[in-house]
Amino acid sequence: MFSRIKARFNDIGTIGTLCTGAERHALRDEQREPGAEHFLLAALDLPDGTARRAFEEVGADPAMLKDAIARQYGDALAAIGLDIGSPSAASGGPEPLAARPGAYNASPSGQEVMQALAASRSQHAPLLGAHVVAIVAGMPHGVAVRALRAMGVDPDLLRSAAEAVARADARS
């Protein structure tokens, strides 16, 4: 019983770290509400390293994800006739937005990630970055999945790799 309580406590800490990281990535992208792509980036930052291992299993460089996501935003804006250009090297890009006080809010795709994590809670112990990767890679559409495809990553293969990494980590 104590081990179950400890596992839930650890999962709560992981969720807190994940949400904080997703918000930080969203604010850097000048968005107030993190989407699935921000949760995917936050999963790569988790100390368990399983998200990174899942990417590496399919031959993908997790360091390339942030740029692939930025390209998706740029391509979407270009498609409607807006050219934001690239940030000057001297400025390093725009300053991140400041977090708003109050309740945590995620975009619809971010909410979908959190709901899927909650629904699958009993299927994993402990919660790992690879679980987040599997959920996001399994999404049928969105910025995150388009970014994965732009990187040459098959989302279905990444999902399978993430699930395998999570199973292997749970056994060790």
Side-chain angles (χ1 to χ4, degrees):
M1 179 165 152
F2 179 71
S3 62
R4 275 192 290 159
I5 293 170
K6 182 180 175 188
R8 285 186 191 253
F9 182 74
N10 287 337
D11 283 357
I12 290 169
T14 301
I15 289 170
T17 301
L18 184 65
C19 288
T20 301
E23 182 178 44
R24 187 179 67 252
H25 285 290
L27 293 171
R28 284 186 191 144
D29 283 345
E30 298 183 351
Q31 296 178 36
R32 296 253 179 231
E33 298 178 338
E37 64 275 18
H38 302 114
F39 281 94
L40 187 56
L41 289 167
L44 290 169
D45 295 338
L46 289 175
D48 65 51
T50 59
R52 289 188 171 282
R53 285 202 316 267
F55 271 76
E56 291 162 359
E57 285 290 320
V58 296
D61 181 358
M64 302 303 293
L65 180 62
K66 188 168 181 61
D67 288 340
I69 290 169
R71 281 194 311 273
Q72 298 313 300
Y73 289 129
D75 290 351
L77 291 172
I80 60 170
L82 297 174
D83 180 18
I84 59 168
S86 60
S88 75
S91 72
E95 287 294 316
L97 294 176
R100 286 187 184 158
Y104 184 86
N105 289 312
S107 74
S109 67
Q111 291 175 23
E112 188 177 338
V113 171
M114 294 305 297
Q115 290 168 355
L117 285 173
S120 65
R121 181 180 68 190
S122 65
Q123 298 170 7
H124 54 71
L127 175 61
L128 302 168
H131 295 118
V132 177
V133 173
I135 288 168
V136 174
M139 297 175 92
H141 51 76
V143 172
V145 173
R146 286 194 309 273
L148 292 171
R149 288 188 183 118
M151 291 173 60
V153 174
D154 179 329
D156 292 330
L157 290 177
L158 180 60
R159 182 179 187 174
S160 294
E163 290 168 347
V165 166
R167 280 191 306 273
D169 194 83
R171 280 184 247 139
S172 59

